[in-house]
């Protein structure tokens, strides 16, 4: 009963936090005259990736590397197969050229770098973490200097400037609520899952990864409801990039991460690569430069198959 209460309280905090975070992100983009997708891929992604970072560092330091890796790999699959799927089922997203010339390729490069580092020796070393974080830094510099809006903003008249103190307040409260909500959700979910004797990898790749992806889901659903689709799409792509480059990069710099369960190398990383590549053709078919409800159903089916194959 206590675990269920943690899950419910966690979800409430996450939804509220997503709303506060979105308000501050939109206001910040207005104040700095920065395209909203850039804000989505930096400020919002940092805040919504904070749970993955905290969970991964703690799990690696506590001697549960599979929980650390499974959390990030599972989160990246959930962000596209669950969060993006639900987002585009609720409302289609029109995509511009910069999405597939910059954002998606960087996500693919980050995914391939991680898989290359971990696949051959089963370990993410300190120097490999430094390479991942360095790549993130280069990407952010490029993003802030050159990136243009990649998604059509349908209702710019809804954008209301806020005083600086309110932006900082909403950002702080939103980030804290997301973090606290994720902690409660993870504690409750892991408590419930561990009673069934499930492995660290399976807990990480399913329960914990979905728990740490709830902030992305909350922020993205609220963004779609408020027609702020630039934030929604940028948040998800950015979150996957941050998970690989920042979360695993920083974690492996602090302590090398060694794979214990071979299922991570033989199955999970290929599921992650598969859904990352799948996004590209879905952007073009059946309607060019758009993700719609049909694409959402395809992604959801992919995710359901992945979960079934993992827990069976």
């Amino acid at each position: 009963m206590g675990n269920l209460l943690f899950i419910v309280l966690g979800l409430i905090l996450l939804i509220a936090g997503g709303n506060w975070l979105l308000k501050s992100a939109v206001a910040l983009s207005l104040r700095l005259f920065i395209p909203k997708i850039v804000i989505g891929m930096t400020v919002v992604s940092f805040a919504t990736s904070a749970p993955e970072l905290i969970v991964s560092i703690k799990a690696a330091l506590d001697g549960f590397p599979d929980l650390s890796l499974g959390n990030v790999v599972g989160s990246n699959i959930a962000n596209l197969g669950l969060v993006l799927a639900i987002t585009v089922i609720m409302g289609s997203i029109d995509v511009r050229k910069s999405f597939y010339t910059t954002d998606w390729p960087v996500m693919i490069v980050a995914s391939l770098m991680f898989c290359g580092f971990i696949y051959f020796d089963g370990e993410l070393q300190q120097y490999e973490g430094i390479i991942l974080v360095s790549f993130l830094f280069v990407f952010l510099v490029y993003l802030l200097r050159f990136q243009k809006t990649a998604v059509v903003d349908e209702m710019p008249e809804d954008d209301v400037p806020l005083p600086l103190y309110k932006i900082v307040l909403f950002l702080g409260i939103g980030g804290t609520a997301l973090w606290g909500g994720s902690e409660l959700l993870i504690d409750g979910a892991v408590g419930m899952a561990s009673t069934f004797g499930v492995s660290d990898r399976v807990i990480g790749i399913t329960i914990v990864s979905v728990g740490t992806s709830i902030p992305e889901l909350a922020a993205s659903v609220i963004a779609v409801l408020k027609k702020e689709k630039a934030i929604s799409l940028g948040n998800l792509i950015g979150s996957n990039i941050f998970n690989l480059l920042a979360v695993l990069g920083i974690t492996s710099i602090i302590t090398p991460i060694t794979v214990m369960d071979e299922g991570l190398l033989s199955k999970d990383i290929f599921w992650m690569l598969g859904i990352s590549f799948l996004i590209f053709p879905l952007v073009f078919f059946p309607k060019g430069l758009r993700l719609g409800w049909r694409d959402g159903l395809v992604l959801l089916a992919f995710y359901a198959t992945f979960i079934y194959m993992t827990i069976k």
Side-chain angles (χ1 to χ4, degrees), residues 24 78 182 192:
S24 63
S182 295
M192 290 181 80

Side-chain angles (χ1 to χ4, degrees), residues 42-239:
T42 53
V43 177
V44 179
S45 296
F46 259 126
T48 55
S49 288
E52 283 92 339
L53 180 59
I54 294 162
V55 169
S56 291
I57 290 174
K58 190 175 189 311
L61 289 172
D62 289 351
F64 302 106
D66 285 349
L67 195 59
S68 179
L69 288 166
N71 168 39
V72 169
V73 173
S75 258
N76 277 21
I77 298 169
N79 279 348
L80 299 178
L82 184 64
V83 180
L84 182 62
I86 291 171
T87 303
V88 297
I89 286 170
M90 291 178 65
S92 62
I93 296 175
D94 292 319
V95 182
R96 288 183 183 170
K97 185 180 177 183
S98 55
F99 166 77
Y100 61 83
T101 58
T102 305
D103 309 332
W104 181 82
V106 170
M107 181 177 70
I108 292 298
V109 170
S111 301
L112 291 172
M113 282 173 68
F114 160 67
C115 292
F117 286 155
I118 199 111
Y119 184 75
F120 295 103
D121 61 359
E123 189 169 11
L124 204 56
Q125 305 276 4
Q126 192 174 43
Y127 78 90
E128 292 169 334
I130 292 170
I131 293 171
L132 292 174
V133 173
S134 300
F135 181 60
L136 175 64
F137 178 74
V138 171
F139 170 60
L140 286 179
V141 170
Y142 169 80
L143 188 71
L144 292 170
R145 288 195 64 184
F146 303 111
Q147 177 75 309
K148 303 299 180 188
T149 306
V151 178
V152 177
D153 179 18
E154 291 185 350
M155 296 178 68
E157 67 274 12
D158 278 1
D159 302 344
V160 180
L162 292 175
L164 188 58
Y165 79 92
K166 277 195 177 180
I167 294 175
V168 174
L169 185 66
F170 282 140
L171 196 60
I173 294 174
T176 304
L178 287 168
W179 174 77
S182 295
E183 286 287 296
L184 287 172
L185 187 70
I186 292 160
D187 286 347
V190 171
M192 290 181 80
S194 60
T195 59
F196 297 100
V198 182
S199 73
D200 287 345
R201 167 186 160 253
V202 173
I203 289 176
I205 211 86
T206 55
I207 305 292
V208 177
S209 68
V210 171
T212 55
S213 287
I214 292 288
E216 282 86 352
L217 179 60
S220 294
V221 167
I222 290 164
V224 168
L225 291 175
K226 294 193 173 184
K227 307 294 183 184
E228 296 291 353
K229 294 178 184 177
I231 296 282
S232 175
L233 184 63
N235 175 33
L236 292 177
I237 300 166
S239 189

Side-chain angles (χ1 to χ4, degrees), residues 248-270:
L248 287 181
I250 292 168
T251 303
S252 58
I253 288 171
I254 293 169
T255 177
I257 312 171
T258 306
V259 175
M260 308 300 285
D261 188 331
E262 287 299 313
L264 271 162
L265 300 179
S266 62
K267 300 172 186 173
D268 302 337
I269 61 173
F270 293 105

Side-chain angles (χ1 to χ4, degrees), residues 15-49:
I15 292 167
N19 197 12
W20 287 321
L21 200 66
L22 183 71
K23 279 184 181 178
S24 63
V26 174
L28 193 60
S29 70
L30 286 170
R31 181 172 280 270
L32 300 177
F33 303 102
I34 295 173
K36 272 184 281 186
I37 194 162
V38 177
I39 295 294
M41 293 186 72
T42 53
V43 177
V44 179
S45 296
F46 259 126
T48 55
S49 288

